[in-house]
Amino acid sequence: MGSSYKGFNDSDASWGKGRVIDQQCGHTWLATFAEAGRFYSAAHQLPALIIPTWNDYEEGTEIETGIDNCVDVKASINDAELSWSISGSEDTIEHYVILAQQESQWANVADVPTGSHSIKLQDLHLKAETRALCVEALGKASLLNHFSPAVGYSGTKSPAR
C-alpha cells in the first residue's frame, strides 16, 4: 500500500506537538505521488493508495478545497497576441485554458501546453461578440486552478478601452 499527502502541520491541534511537513506549494503532493511511481507502473500496479488524514483541517491535511500551488496569472493583449505570465512554479500546472467572454457566458476557446505563454488572437477564432479574455492555469490533479483577471477585448488588435 502506498500513500500521498500534501503536508502536515499539527500546531493548531489541541494535541499537537509542532510537527510540520511543509506543503511547498503543491510540490509535497506531487513528490509523494512520484515516489509511488518509482516502484509501480501500469504493468505493475500499486494495489491501493491512501490519502492519510485527508480531511483533518486542524492538521492542515484536508484536500477537499484543493491544494494551493501558489500560482498567480497575469494576462495582456499586445498587438495581435494574448500573452500571460505566471508567478509560482509552472510544473504544478497541467496546461492553460483560454476563456472568452461572449455576452454573459465564458467559453473555452483554446487549450495551450505549459511552456507556452502566448497565442495569436487569430488562432482563437473569436466571435464578434467577444468582450474579454482570461487565462486559466489548470492545476495538476487536486491542485488549485488560478485565473488571470479578465482582459478587455473589442474585436481589434488592441485591448478594449
Side-chain angles (χ1 to χ4, degrees), residues 87-99:
S87 60
S89 185
E90 192 172 47
D91 66 351
T92 64
I93 297 169
E94 182 64 35
H95 66 275
Y96 297 103
V97 178
I98 310 304
L99 302 167

Side-chain angles (χ1 to χ4, degrees), residues 65-69 71 73 92-95 97 135-148:
T65 60
I67 300 166
D68 193 3
N69 55 1
V71 167
V73 186
T92 64
I93 297 169
E94 182 64 35
H95 66 275
V97 178
V135 177
E136 175 186 11
L138 190 72
K140 290 186 176 177
S142 299
L143 298 180
L144 292 177
N145 303 332
H146 294 275
F147 297 82
S148 72

Side-chain angles (χ1 to χ4, degrees), residues 118-139:
S118 65
I119 190 168
K120 293 180 180 169
L121 294 174
Q122 69 184 22
D123 294 340
L124 297 176
H125 307 288
L126 298 170
K127 295 181 179 180
E129 62 269 14
T130 299
R131 297 292 168 246
L133 299 172
C134 176
V135 177
E136 175 186 11
L138 190 72

Side-chain angles (χ1 to χ4, degrees), residues 5-37:
Y5 48 88
K6 74 173 196 172
F8 183 85
N9 183 342
D10 69 4
S11 60
D12 288 337
S14 60
W15 46 263
K17 297 181 179 176
R19 296 169 290 190
V20 175
I21 299 172
D22 190 69
Q23 293 185 26
Q24 299 177 32
C25 295
H27 284 104
T28 299
W29 178 253
L30 296 174
T32 57
F33 270 106
E35 185 67 17

